[in-house]
């Protein structure tokens, strides 16, 4: 009887975790989903969220290690009309800060 109880508890404990973040083939798909289609986030929040939370083409934190890396990545992988230069710069600064100083640490 105890064995069944512990088996049920184990299944519930390990089976009720959070779903992994959605993976996207391209950064533009992630941005479109977060900003336009799905979550309705503000542009900077969608930019940072895709950089931090969603694997892009199988790569996590695809936006790079520094603010210039991030700006170059967004310039190459995001439609010119999706975000302004200022939004990209602000989002990249926030991304690098959050990447290097995760909340709760």
């Amino acid at each position: 009887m105890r064995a069944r109880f512990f088996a049920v508890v184990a299944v519930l404990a390990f089976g009720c975790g959070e779903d992994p973040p959605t993976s996207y083939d391209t950064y533009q798909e992630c941005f479109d989903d977060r900003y336009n289609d799905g979550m309705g986030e503000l542009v900077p929040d969608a930019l940072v969220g895709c950089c931090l939370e969603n694997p892009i083409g199988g790569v996590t934190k695809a936006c790079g290690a520094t603010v210039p890396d991030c700006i170059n990545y967004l310039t190459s992988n995001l439609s010119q009309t999706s975000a302004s230069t200022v939004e990209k710069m602000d989002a990249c600064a926030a991304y690098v800060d959050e990447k290097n100083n995760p909340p709760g640490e």
Side-chain angles (χ1 to χ4, degrees):
M1 184 67 142
R2 277 188 178 170
R4 279 191 225 161
F5 173 74
F6 287 118
V8 169
V9 170
V11 167
L12 291 175
F14 294 110
C16 295
E18 291 184 30
D19 290 333
T22 303
S23 182
Y24 296 92
D25 291 333
T26 68
Y27 187 88
Q28 187 70 53
E29 289 174 359
C30 179
F31 177 81
D32 289 344
D33 191 38
R34 292 183 80 111
Y35 178 67
N36 296 324
D37 302 333
M39 300 178 190
E41 295 178 343
L42 298 173
V43 169
D45 295 335
L47 294 172
V48 173
C50 287
C51 285
L52 282 175
E53 299 167 11
N54 299 96
I56 309 295
V59 177
T60 56
K61 295 183 176 62
C63 294
T66 66
V67 172
D69 290 341
C70 176
I71 291 169
N72 288 335
Y73 182 82
L74 294 183
T75 300
S76 297
N77 292 285
L78 189 65
S79 168
Q80 190 175 22
T81 59
S82 294
S84 71
T85 302
V86 172
E87 288 170 322
K88 290 176 191 175
M89 290 184 339
D90 290 347
C92 286
Y95 157 70
V96 170
D97 184 53
E98 287 184 42
K99 182 177 73 64
N100 293 334
N101 305 298
E105 286 188 14

